[in-house]
Amino acid sequence: MFTFAVCDDQREDAENLRCCISLFAQTQEIPVQTDVFSDSAALLNASQHYDLIFLDVEMSPMSGIETAKELRKREAFLKVPIVYVTSYPDYWRHAYQVHAFDFIEKPFPETRVFQTLRDFLRLVPPQDARTIPLQVEAGEIQQRVDEICYFLCTEKRRVIVHTTSAQYVVRDSLNSIYAQLDPAQFDMPHRCCIVNFRYVQNIVNYYDIIMTDGEFLPLAQKKRTQFRRKLSDYMQSQNNSIPPCSAVRRSFP
């Protein structure tokens, strides 16, 4: 699933853009979640990682250009494509100073938005080949997202990623890792772990998640309802088979 953000203080413009994205997603048969923000502060305070961001240039008190500069200071947003939307085409020179992916003039026909979205799909890798950066002892590596089964924080505060082919220690915090992941595919059912829904086998005794490698992971009581709902939504959206994890079974105490 792709996750997009629309930030525009003009409610009608924001809704028109959201509708264009929704229509494109339906015609292309791709799952897309679009979050709409009415000001820059709300977007900057969001913990979600986005694959594509649409920014209105003339927002106040912080303009879209200023918002983009703040986003680019954050590692998770260094390479996220940003599309600027404005009624004033003269702004394009400023927009490209912060590495604009595209520039859309208002009022915009849906075909113009479709063109931008098609360009985006051509440039991004297939979702099953997408990667995230992880810090390990030897430096930074790129880990394929579809091969991640889960992350688990041990009693010694070490974060271990379990993939379909290996396990290794990462130096990132669980919160920083989760911010890079698609919340429609991953969840934090407990403060000590991140789970890929693709590799969940069952939930037993209300509070235990059984992974496809046989591992038991904890499910916090206050997160039980949300986790079950998100897992159900994910399973309904997927028809693919689930390959096994090649991790060593270790029961959670």
Side-chain angles (χ1 to χ4, degrees):
M1 173 183 285
F2 290 109
T3 309
F4 297 162
V6 173
C7 189
D8 195 323
D9 57 2
Q10 299 297 314
R11 181 177 300 180
E12 183 177 351
D13 290 339
E15 181 60 19
N16 286 341
L17 187 50
R18 187 196 65 79
C19 289
C20 287
I21 295 171
S22 178
L23 181 58
F24 179 83
Q26 292 176 22
T27 58
Q28 299 297 312
E29 298 184 345
I30 56 174
V32 172
Q33 171 187 315
T34 304
D35 295 340
V36 178
F37 300 91
S38 59
D39 60 73
S40 298
L43 172 60
L44 292 171
N45 289 330
S47 58
Q48 172 69 51
H49 171 76
Y50 292 104
D51 300 299
L52 181 65
I53 299 174
F54 292 84
L55 280 179
D56 175 39
V57 174
E58 297 90 24
M59 291 185 295
S60 62
M62 181 181 288
S63 72
I65 304 297
E66 293 170 327
T67 303
K69 290 179 179 178
E70 288 299 313
L71 288 172
R72 292 300 191 212
K73 294 177 182 178
R74 306 177 184 184
E75 185 175 354
F77 289 94
L78 281 175
K79 298 181 180 179
V80 176
I82 295 177
V83 178
Y84 295 94
V85 185
T86 181
S87 302
Y88 301 97
D90 290 342
Y91 274 111
W92 73 267
R93 293 183 180 84
H94 301 286
Y96 283 103
Q97 292 176 5
V98 279
H99 309 291
F101 176 74
D102 204 350
F103 196 92
I104 297 177
E105 292 184 38
K106 297 180 182 180
F108 47 80
E110 63 183 30
T111 53
R112 179 64 185 86
V113 179
F114 287 3
Q115 176 186 333
T116 296
L117 293 172
R118 281 192 292 268
D119 290 342
F120 167 76
L121 291 179
R122 280 194 290 267
L123 289 177
V124 298
Q127 290 217 307
D128 59 0
R130 301 179 72 189
T131 65
I132 60 169
L134 293 176
Q135 295 295 327
V136 299
E137 186 175 354
E140 182 178 287
I141 65 168
Q142 293 293 325
Q143 171 63 56
R144 279 185 56 145
V145 172
D146 65 312
E147 295 178 351
I148 297 171
C149 300
Y150 53 91
F151 295 87
L152 184 61
C153 185
T154 69
E155 294 179 357
K156 295 182 179 180
R157 301 292 183 183
R158 294 197 310 166
V159 175
I160 300 176
V161 56
H162 294 246
T163 74
T164 55
S165 59
Q167 306 173 39
Y168 57 90
V169 177
V170 297
R171 295 184 172 182
D172 308 83
S173 69
L174 285 179
N175 286 334
S176 65
I177 294 169
Y178 186 62
Q180 301 183 71
L181 299 169
D182 180 357
Q185 184 178 354
F186 290 84
D187 194 37
M188 288 187 68
H190 191 277
R191 65 177 181 273
C192 73
C193 59
I194 299 173
V195 170
N196 186 342
F197 292 130
R198 186 180 186 186
Y199 301 99
V200 172
Q201 180 173 300
N202 201 358
I203 300 176
V204 296
N205 301 325
Y206 297 103
Y207 305 117
D208 290 319
I209 303 167
I210 304 179
M211 305 302 291
T212 54
D213 66 343
E215 179 73 33
F216 279 66
L217 299 178
L219 175 56
Q221 181 177 2
K222 64 180 181 180
K223 295 188 176 183
R224 186 174 62 188
T225 300
Q226 172 186 290
F227 183 83
R228 286 178 174 272
R229 175 182 54 78
K230 290 180 65 176
L231 176 61
S232 176
D233 291 343
Y234 176 80
M235 298 304 291
Q236 290 179 17
S237 68
Q238 301 295 312
N239 294 314
N240 57 312
S241 59
I242 301 177
C245 299
S246 60
V248 178
R249 179 191 173 103
R250 183 184 60 75
S251 297
F252 190 85

